[in-house]
Amino acid sequence: MDDSLVRENIGLMPYLVAASQILGVAVLAITGTWLSQYRGGFSWDGPEQFNVHPLCMVLGMVFLCGDALLVFRVFRHETKKATKILHGVLHILALIISLVGIIAVFQYHKKKNINDMYSLHSWLGITTFTLYILQWILGFVMFFLPGVGFAYKNRFKPLHVFLGLSLLLSTIATCLLGLTEKMLDDYSKLPAEGVLVNSLGLLLVAFGLVIAYIVTREEWRRPPLPEEQALSIDFRTLTQGESPTEP
Amino acid sequence: MDDSLVRENIGLMPYLVAASQILGVAVLAITGTWLSQYRGGFSWDGPEQFNVHPLCMVLGMVFLCGDALLVFRVFRHETKKATKILHGVLHILALIISLVGIIAVFQYHKKKNINDMYSLHSWLGITTFTLYILQWILGFVMFFLPGVGFAYKNRFKPLHVFLGLSLLLSTIATCLLGLTEKMLDDYSKLPAEGVLVNSLGLLLVAFGLVIAYIVTREEWRRPPLPEEQALSIDFRTLTQGESPTEP
C-alpha cells in the first residue's frame, strides 16, 4: 500500500521546476523590455494598443498556462481537490488575460484599417485559442462538475493532458511567428532589437520544452494520497486496467 | 509471461499512423507545389538554389525524422535489432538530405550577398540542427556500439526519446518561421500563395502533433518479445526498478 512512497523518485524535478520559473520570468521581462524600449510602450487607446497583444498572450497563454500544467507535479502531496482548484484558477486568469490580448489586436487592426487573419501567425493562433476554449469547457465539465463517472474521467485524462501540452507548444510556435512578423523590416542587418527578439524566441522554446519534460516523465506523476490509493485499488480490481494516478 | 500480449491494446494507433502518413505526404506535396508553382522550381546553380532548402528540410528533418520516431511503435513484433537498424537508416537519410538543404541556403546567401544567421528562423534552426547532430552521435554510441551496459542504455533512453520528439517539434516551429519570412511582402492581401503556405503550416503542426500523440501513449509502447521479456524480468529482479520496454 506504500507503493507510492517507494516509487517516489523525483530526482531532478525541483531543479527543472526552478529552471522553468526562471525562464518564464525572463521571457516576461524581455517581452516587456522589447515592447517598452523598441515599440513605444503600452496604451489602450493610442497606437500602442498593439503592444498589449504580445504582452497579454505571453503572460496568459504561455506563462500562466505553462504553470497550470505543473501544479499536479509541484503540489504533489496536497489534496487533489485543492490542486485542481489551483489549476482552474490559473486557467481562469489565463483565459481573461489572453482574451484582453486578442481584443487588443483586433481593435488595433480595425483602427488602422489592417486586414485581419491573413498570416500563419493568425491562423495558428486562432486555431490554438479555439481549441483552448474547447479544452477549457471539456475540462470543466469532466473534472469540476459533479456526476461524471470515475471511469469516464480516467479515460479522458490522458487526452486532456496531451491536448494541454500540445496547446502550450503551439502557443509558443505562434509567439515565434508573431515575433518574426514584427521584425521583418531591417531584420537582415541584425539590429539590437533583432538580437533581443531572437533571444526571446529561444527562451520561449526553452520554457516550453522544460515544462514538457517535467510533465511527460512518467515517474514524476503526482502519487495518489493514501485515501485516494485505497479507492484506486478498489477501482483497479474492478477494471483490471489503468491505475487512476494524476498527470 | 504472456503479459505483453494481454496488455497489447493498440486501439486507434493504426488509424493515427495512417493519418500521420497522409499528413506527411500532403506536406511534401504542398511544399513541392509551392516551390515549383510560386517560387520558380529547383536548380543547384541558378537563383532557384534557395528552393532546395525548404524541400530538403521538410523531407529530411520533418518527414523522415518523424517516421523514424514511429518505427518502434509500428514494427512492434519485429526483433529489436531489425527495428533499430530501420530507425538508424531513416536517420542516415534524414541527416544527408538535411545537410544538402543547409548547404543550399548558405551557398545561395553567399552568391546573393545576403547576411547569414540574422533571423529567429536561423537561430532556432541552427540550434535544432546542432542538437540533432549531438543526439545522432549520442544515440549511435549508446545504442549501436557494443559494450554499453544495459543499465546505462535504460537510463539514457527516456532522454533520447524526449529529445527526439522535442527536436521534431522545434524543427516544425523552424519551418513555420521560414514560411512566414518568405511570405512577408504582400502577405496582408492574402494572395493564393498565402493560403497555400498557411495551410502548409497548419498541416506541419498537425503532422508533429499526431506523431507526438502516438509516441507518448504509454500503452502503445513496443512490448518486449518473449526472449527479451525473460531478460527483462531478470533485470527487473536485479534493479527492482524500471522495466526495459521500448519507446
Side-chain angles (χ1 to χ4, degrees):
Chain A
M1 220 85 0
D2 266 336
D3 199 34
S4 72
L5 292 174
V6 175
R7 265 194 293 152
E8 184 97 331
N9 169 22
I10 59 168
L12 288 176
M13 197 184 83
Y15 302 99
L16 287 175
V17 170
S20 74
Q21 298 312 292
I22 292 167
L23 286 168
V25 170
V27 157
L28 283 172
I30 295 180
T31 306
T33 306
W34 169 50
L35 294 166
S36 48
Q37 295 284 344
Y38 293 101
R39 299 277 157 177
F42 305 94
S43 75
W44 189 259
D45 296 318
E48 300 83 11
Q49 188 178 14
F50 176 85
N51 295 342
V52 175
H53 175 69
L55 188 70
C56 282
M57 301 322 278
V58 169
L59 176 57
M61 291 292 286
V62 179
F63 187 68
L64 292 176
C65 282
D67 277 8
L69 298 189
L70 291 187
V71 297
F72 293 103
R73 303 278 156 135
V74 172
F75 303 102
R76 47 201 302 113
H77 301 301
E78 306 302 318
T79 65
K80 197 165 162 182
K81 196 175 171 185
T83 319
K84 277 168 71 171
I85 288 173
L86 179 58
H87 184 75
V89 167
L90 286 171
H91 276 304
I92 288 171
L93 290 175
L95 185 66
I96 294 169
I97 291 169
S98 50
L99 271 173
V100 171
I102 289 172
I103 292 167
V105 74
F106 277 103
Q107 282 197 0
Y108 172 82
H109 276 188
K110 201 170 178 184
K111 274 190 282 192
K112 292 260 175 180
N113 264 321
I114 300 171
N115 284 339
D116 291 319
M117 300 298 307
Y118 58 85
S119 66
L120 184 50
H121 168 77
S122 62
W123 286 32
L124 186 61
I126 218 76
T127 306
T128 305
F129 194 73
T130 307
L131 290 174
Y132 178 64
I133 301 275
L134 192 73
Q135 165 90 331
W136 222 111
I137 295 168
L138 277 175
F140 185 79
V141 168
M142 295 295 287
F143 300 120
F144 273 91
L145 291 189
V148 177
F150 193 44
Y152 286 102
K153 286 181 203 254
N154 225 45
R155 286 194 66 172
F156 179 62
K157 202 162 58 189
L159 195 64
H160 182 74
V161 171
F162 177 78
L163 188 56
L165 195 51
S166 302
L167 290 175
L168 179 68
L169 296 174
S170 75
T171 296
I172 289 171
T174 309
C175 293
L176 304 188
L177 294 175
L179 294 174
T180 295
E181 274 186 37
K182 274 284 140 192
M183 286 312 298
L184 274 220
D185 308 328
D186 294 331
Y187 205 174
S188 70
K189 290 167 206 144
L190 195 62
E193 185 185 358
V195 175
L196 190 74
V197 162
N198 291 358
S199 308
L200 175 55
L202 293 186
L203 287 175
L204 278 164
V205 172
F207 178 77
L209 294 181
V210 172
I211 301 258
Y213 187 74
I214 297 168
V215 174
T216 54
R217 289 287 289 201
E218 209 38 42
E219 64 272 38
W220 295 351
R221 290 170 74 139
R222 172 185 179 276
L225 294 178
E227 63 270 27
E228 295 163 10
Q229 190 129 33
L231 185 70
S232 119
I233 284 161
D234 288 351
F235 184 76
R236 207 180 304 162
T237 52
L238 279 172
T239 61
Q240 298 218 349
E242 301 152 40
S243 72
T245 44
E246 279 308 292
Chain B
M1 221 77 6
D2 264 337
D3 199 35
S4 73
L5 292 172
V6 174
R7 265 196 291 154
E8 183 97 331
N9 169 24
I10 59 168
L12 288 176
M13 197 185 82
Y15 302 100
L16 287 176
V17 170
S20 73
Q21 298 313 292
I22 292 167
L23 286 168
V25 171
V27 157
L28 283 172
I30 295 180
T31 305
T33 306
W34 169 52
L35 294 167
S36 48
Q37 293 283 342
Y38 294 101
R39 300 276 157 177
F42 305 94
S43 75
W44 189 258
D45 295 316
E48 299 84 9
Q49 188 179 14
F50 177 86
N51 295 342
V52 175
H53 174 67
L55 189 69
C56 282
M57 302 322 278
V58 169
L59 176 58
M61 292 293 287
V62 179
F63 187 68
L64 292 176
C65 283
D67 277 8
L69 298 189
L70 291 187
V71 298
F72 292 104
R73 303 281 156 134
V74 171
F75 302 103
R76 47 202 302 113
H77 300 302
E78 306 303 318
T79 64
K80 199 166 162 181
K81 195 175 171 184
T83 320
K84 277 168 73 171
I85 288 172
L86 180 58
H87 184 76
V89 167
L90 286 171
H91 276 303
I92 288 171
L93 290 175
L95 184 67
I96 294 170
I97 292 170
S98 50
L99 271 173
V100 172
I102 289 172
I103 291 166
V105 74
F106 277 103
Q107 283 198 359
Y108 172 81
H109 275 190
K110 201 169 177 186
K111 274 189 284 192
K112 291 261 176 182
N113 264 320
I114 300 170
N115 284 339
D116 290 320
M117 301 297 309
Y118 59 86
S119 67
L120 184 51
H121 167 78
S122 62
W123 286 32
L124 186 61
I126 218 77
T127 306
T128 305
F129 194 71
T130 307
L131 290 174
Y132 178 63
I133 301 275
L134 192 73
Q135 164 90 332
W136 222 111
I137 295 167
L138 277 174
F140 185 78
V141 169
M142 296 294 288
F143 300 121
F144 273 90
L145 291 191
V148 177
F150 193 44
Y152 286 103
K153 287 181 202 252
N154 225 46
R155 286 193 68 172
F156 179 63
K157 202 160 58 186
L159 194 65
H160 182 73
V161 171
F162 177 78
L163 188 57
L165 196 50
S166 302
L167 290 175
L168 180 68
L169 296 175
S170 74
T171 295
I172 289 172
T174 309
C175 293
L176 303 187
L177 294 175
L179 293 174
T180 294
E181 273 186 35
K182 274 283 140 193
M183 287 311 298
L184 275 217
D185 306 328
D186 292 332
Y187 205 175
S188 71
K189 292 166 202 142
L190 194 63
E193 185 186 358
V195 175
L196 191 75
V197 163
N198 291 357
S199 308
L200 175 55
L202 292 186
L203 287 175
L204 278 165
V205 172
F207 177 77
L209 294 180
V210 171
I211 301 259
Y213 187 74
I214 297 168
V215 174
T216 54
R217 289 287 289 201
E218 208 39 38
E219 64 272 38
W220 295 351
R221 289 168 75 138
R222 172 184 179 277
L225 295 179
E227 63 272 27
E228 294 162 10
Q229 190 127 31
L231 185 70
S232 119
I233 283 162
D234 287 351
F235 183 75
R236 208 179 304 161
T237 50
L238 279 173
T239 61
Q240 297 219 353
E242 299 152 39
S243 72
T245 46
E246 278 308 294

